[in-house]
PDB file of all heavy atoms in Angstrom:
ATOM      1  N   PRO S 587       8.142  30.832  45.305  1.00  0.00           N
ATOM      2  CA  PRO S 587       8.889  29.750  45.981  1.00  0.00           C
ATOM      3  C   PRO S 587       8.823  28.459  45.173  1.00  0.00           C
ATOM      4  O   PRO S 587       7.834  27.727  45.212  1.00  0.00           O
ATOM      5  CB  PRO S 587       8.182  29.624  47.335  1.00  0.00           C
ATOM      6  CG  PRO S 587       6.846  30.249  47.151  1.00  0.00           C
ATOM      7  CD  PRO S 587       7.004  31.305  46.108  1.00  0.00           C
ATOM      8  N   ILE S 588       9.873  28.182  44.441  1.00  0.00           N
ATOM      9  CA  ILE S 588       9.865  27.093  43.454  1.00  0.00           C
ATOM     10  C   ILE S 588       9.738  25.727  44.122  1.00  0.00           C
ATOM     11  O   ILE S 588       8.921  24.894  43.715  1.00  0.00           O
ATOM     12  CB  ILE S 588      11.137  27.161  42.589  1.00  0.00           C
ATOM     13  CG1 ILE S 588      11.136  28.466  41.784  1.00  0.00           C
ATOM     14  CG2 ILE S 588      11.234  25.960  41.669  1.00  0.00           C
ATOM     15  CD1 ILE S 588      12.402  28.690  40.990  1.00  0.00           C
ATOM     16  N   ASP S 589      10.541  25.473  45.159  1.00  0.00           N
ATOM     17  CA  ASP S 589      10.536  24.146  45.781  1.00  0.00           C
ATOM     18  C   ASP S 589       9.170  23.804  46.363  1.00  0.00           C
ATOM     19  O   ASP S 589       8.649  22.695  46.164  1.00  0.00           O
ATOM     20  CB  ASP S 589      11.602  24.076  46.875  1.00  0.00           C
ATOM     21  CG  ASP S 589      13.011  24.138  46.304  1.00  0.00           C
ATOM     22  OD1 ASP S 589      13.155  23.873  45.089  1.00  0.00           O
ATOM     23  OD2 ASP S 589      13.946  24.455  47.057  1.00  0.00           O
ATOM     24  N   GLU S 590       8.579  24.762  47.082  1.00  0.00           N
ATOM     25  CA  GLU S 590       7.289  24.503  47.720  1.00  0.00           C
ATOM     26  C   GLU S 590       6.195  24.256  46.680  1.00  0.00           C
ATOM     27  O   GLU S 590       5.365  23.354  46.828  1.00  0.00           O
ATOM     28  CB  GLU S 590       6.895  25.672  48.622  1.00  0.00           C
ATOM     29  CG  GLU S 590       7.706  25.779  49.906  1.00  0.00           C
ATOM     30  CD  GLU S 590       9.073  26.442  49.690  1.00  0.00           C
ATOM     31  OE1 GLU S 590       9.388  26.758  48.527  1.00  0.00           O
ATOM     32  OE2 GLU S 590       9.806  26.639  50.679  1.00  0.00           O
ATOM     33  N   LEU S 591       6.208  25.070  45.618  1.00  0.00           N
ATOM     34  CA  LEU S 591       5.173  24.904  44.593  1.00  0.00           C
ATOM     35  C   LEU S 591       5.374  23.619  43.793  1.00  0.00           C
ATOM     36  O   LEU S 591       4.406  22.977  43.389  1.00  0.00           O
ATOM     37  CB  LEU S 591       5.172  26.110  43.654  1.00  0.00           C
ATOM     38  CG  LEU S 591       4.596  27.398  44.231  1.00  0.00           C
ATOM     39  CD1 LEU S 591       4.653  28.512  43.204  1.00  0.00           C
ATOM     40  CD2 LEU S 591       3.159  27.193  44.692  1.00  0.00           C
ATOM     41  N   THR S 592       6.620  23.260  43.555  1.00  0.00           N
ATOM     42  CA  THR S 592       6.880  22.002  42.841  1.00  0.00           C
ATOM     43  C   THR S 592       6.360  20.821  43.651  1.00  0.00           C
ATOM     44  O   THR S 592       5.735  19.900  43.106  1.00  0.00           O
ATOM     45  CB  THR S 592       8.380  21.850  42.569  1.00  0.00           C
ATOM     46  OG1 THR S 592       8.839  22.958  41.784  1.00  0.00           O
ATOM     47  CG2 THR S 592       8.663  20.562  41.815  1.00  0.00           C
ATOM     48  N   ARG S 593       6.628  20.846  44.968  1.00  0.00           N
ATOM     49  CA  ARG S 593       6.112  19.764  45.818  1.00  0.00           C
ATOM     50  C   ARG S 593       4.587  19.792  45.878  1.00  0.00           C
ATOM     51  O   ARG S 593       3.936  18.748  45.892  1.00  0.00           O
ATOM     52  CB  ARG S 593       6.712  19.869  47.225  1.00  0.00           C
ATOM     53  CG  ARG S 593       8.184  19.500  47.289  1.00  0.00           C
ATOM     54  CD  ARG S 593       8.620  19.230  48.719  1.00  0.00           C
ATOM     55  NE  ARG S 593       8.519  20.421  49.553  1.00  0.00           N
ATOM     56  CZ  ARG S 593       9.489  21.325  49.694  1.00  0.00           C
ATOM     57  NH1 ARG S 593      10.632  21.158  49.052  1.00  0.00           N
ATOM     58  NH2 ARG S 593       9.333  22.375  50.462  1.00  0.00           N
ATOM     59  N   LEU S 594       4.018  21.002  45.922  1.00  0.00           N
ATOM     60  CA  LEU S 594       2.556  21.110  45.943  1.00  0.00           C
ATOM     61  C   LEU S 594       1.960  20.456  44.698  1.00  0.00           C
ATOM     62  O   LEU S 594       1.001  19.673  44.784  1.00  0.00           O
ATOM     63  CB  LEU S 594       2.140  22.585  46.013  1.00  0.00           C
ATOM     64  CG  LEU S 594       0.635  22.886  46.162  1.00  0.00           C
ATOM     65  CD1 LEU S 594       0.435  24.208  46.900  1.00  0.00           C
ATOM     66  CD2 LEU S 594      -0.064  22.973  44.812  1.00  0.00           C
ATOM     67  N   LEU S 595       2.526  20.757  43.522  1.00  0.00           N
ATOM     68  CA  LEU S 595       2.005  20.182  42.279  1.00  0.00           C
ATOM     69  C   LEU S 595       2.181  18.666  42.252  1.00  0.00           C
ATOM     70  O   LEU S 595       1.291  17.934  41.808  1.00  0.00           O
ATOM     71  CB  LEU S 595       2.709  20.819  41.076  1.00  0.00           C
ATOM     72  CG  LEU S 595       2.341  22.274  40.773  1.00  0.00           C
ATOM     73  CD1 LEU S 595       3.232  22.833  39.672  1.00  0.00           C
ATOM     74  CD2 LEU S 595       0.877  22.381  40.363  1.00  0.00           C
ATOM     75  N   ASP S 596       3.333  18.203  42.740  1.00  0.00           N
ATOM     76  CA  ASP S 596       3.578  16.761  42.737  1.00  0.00           C
ATOM     77  C   ASP S 596       2.561  16.045  43.609  1.00  0.00           C
ATOM     78  O   ASP S 596       1.942  15.055  43.186  1.00  0.00           O
ATOM     79  CB  ASP S 596       5.002  16.484  43.222  1.00  0.00           C
ATOM     80  CG  ASP S 596       5.313  14.996  43.208  1.00  0.00           C
ATOM     81  OD1 ASP S 596       5.142  14.356  42.153  1.00  0.00           O
ATOM     82  OD2 ASP S 596       5.716  14.457  44.261  1.00  0.00           O
ATOM     83  N   HIS S 597       2.358  16.544  44.828  1.00  0.00           N
ATOM     84  CA  HIS S 597       1.400  15.885  45.729  1.00  0.00           C
ATOM     85  C   HIS S 597      -0.036  16.073  45.231  1.00  0.00           C
ATOM     86  O   HIS S 597      -0.878  15.175  45.414  1.00  0.00           O
ATOM     87  CB  HIS S 597       1.549  16.436  47.145  1.00  0.00           C
ATOM     88  CG  HIS S 597       2.784  15.958  47.853  1.00  0.00           C
ATOM     89  ND1 HIS S 597       2.949  14.651  48.249  1.00  0.00           N
ATOM     90  CD2 HIS S 597       3.923  16.612  48.217  1.00  0.00           C
ATOM     91  CE1 HIS S 597       4.131  14.511  48.840  1.00  0.00           C
ATOM     92  NE2 HIS S 597       4.736  15.681  48.823  1.00  0.00           N
ATOM     93  N   ALA S 598      -0.319  17.218  44.599  1.00  0.00           N
ATOM     94  CA  ALA S 598      -1.672  17.436  44.082  1.00  0.00           C
ATOM     95  C   ALA S 598      -1.984  16.466  42.947  1.00  0.00           C
ATOM     96  O   ALA S 598      -3.094  15.922  42.862  1.00  0.00           O
ATOM     97  CB  ALA S 598      -1.825  18.876  43.605  1.00  0.00           C
TER      98      ALA S 598
END
Side-chain angles (χ1 to χ4, degrees):
I588 296 175
D589 292 341
E590 288 80 357
L591 287 180
T592 301
R593 289 196 296 272
L594 185 151
L595 289 173
D596 181 54
H597 286 291

